[in-house]
Amino acid sequence: MNQRRSFLKSSVALASALSMPALARAAVAAPHERSLRFYNTHTGETLRTMFWAEGEFIPDALQDINRLLRDHRSNTVAPIDPELIVLLNKVSTQFGSNNVIHVISGYRSPETNRKLAEASGGVAKHSMHLEGKAIDVRIPGYDLNDLRKAALAQKRGGVGYYPDSKFVHMDTGRVRHW
């Protein structure tokens, strides 16, 4: 009898889930699914994507992320390190599951990075942004220092804190902070 009840409950749950619109299902991601919401502060573009499901990355979603995180100055798209996306997901979910991550900088072309380094002492000449392994972000409505602490707690790469510019830098390089 218990097996039959369990089967019926599972069947009802499955039928309910299948009848939900796709967007609603995406908003209620299963534990084995990972998704992110982005807003590019320079281009105004937004992206809501499930990038991981059933134990693997979703190639089309990674391409969409690469496009959104492109060098907006030169319009150059490059591959973003999937581990950076996982790190960003782990950090952002500490603030809830439906936050929009504001992207200040993702990938940078060599030309853009050189120009930024010449104009500012705060840009590394050999930045991890050049390799698609760094991102500068904020999550509106949350304290920037809390975002910094959440990134540091992951111990998965570099974390830079830029309160005057209102962003936190995260990368997948060696563990360090500034």
Side-chain angles (χ1 to χ4, degrees):
M1 186 71 135
N2 283 340
Q3 286 180 330
R4 182 170 181 207
R5 276 193 195 136
S6 179
F7 172 77
L8 289 174
K9 284 180 183 178
S10 297
S11 298
V12 169
L14 180 61
S16 296
L18 292 175
S19 67
M20 286 193 317
L23 190 56
R25 283 197 310 271
V28 185
H32 57 277
E33 297 172 344
R34 297 178 188 164
S35 60
L36 286 167
R37 293 178 63 195
F38 293 103
Y39 169 73
N40 186 312
T41 61
H42 295 284
T43 65
E45 295 167 304
T46 61
L47 176 65
R48 180 183 195 148
T49 187
M50 183 181 304
F51 67 91
W52 175 274
E54 303 301 327
E56 60 186 44
F57 290 100
I58 301 170
D60 288 346
L62 292 180
Q63 286 182 4
D64 291 342
I65 291 170
N66 293 345
R67 173 110 179 102
L68 185 97
L69 300 183
R70 73 188 179 281
D71 180 335
H72 70 275
R73 291 168 179 88
S74 66
N75 210 31
T76 307
V77 177
I80 300 299
D81 180 5
E83 289 306 311
L84 181 62
I85 303 306
V86 171
L87 172 61
L88 193 56
N89 178 256
K90 287 180 182 259
V91 170
S92 69
T93 56
Q94 293 181 39
F95 299 94
S97 62
N98 210 21
N99 294 310
V100 177
I101 299 163
H102 283 207
V103 178
I104 289 76
S105 183
Y107 169 73
R108 286 190 205 140
S109 68
E111 301 79 31
T112 294
N113 199 72
R114 182 180 43 76
K115 288 177 185 175
L116 292 174
E118 289 171 357
S120 167
V123 175
K125 288 182 181 178
H126 303 290
S127 170
M128 297 205 70
H129 287 276
L130 293 163
E131 301 173 41
K133 294 183 175 189
I135 191 165
D136 300 334
V137 297
R138 65 177 159 254
I139 300 176
Y142 293 93
D143 186 79
L144 202 58
N145 193 41
D146 291 339
L147 179 59
R148 175 185 152 272
K149 288 177 187 175
L152 286 169
Q154 292 298 312
K155 297 180 181 171
R156 295 183 65 154
V159 178
Y161 182 52
Y162 298 91
D164 292 340
S165 299
K166 297 181 177 62
F167 70 82
V168 170
H169 167 97
M170 292 179 233
D171 67 52
T172 56
R174 62 183 169 76
V175 175
R176 66 212 188 286
H177 63 88
W178 60 94

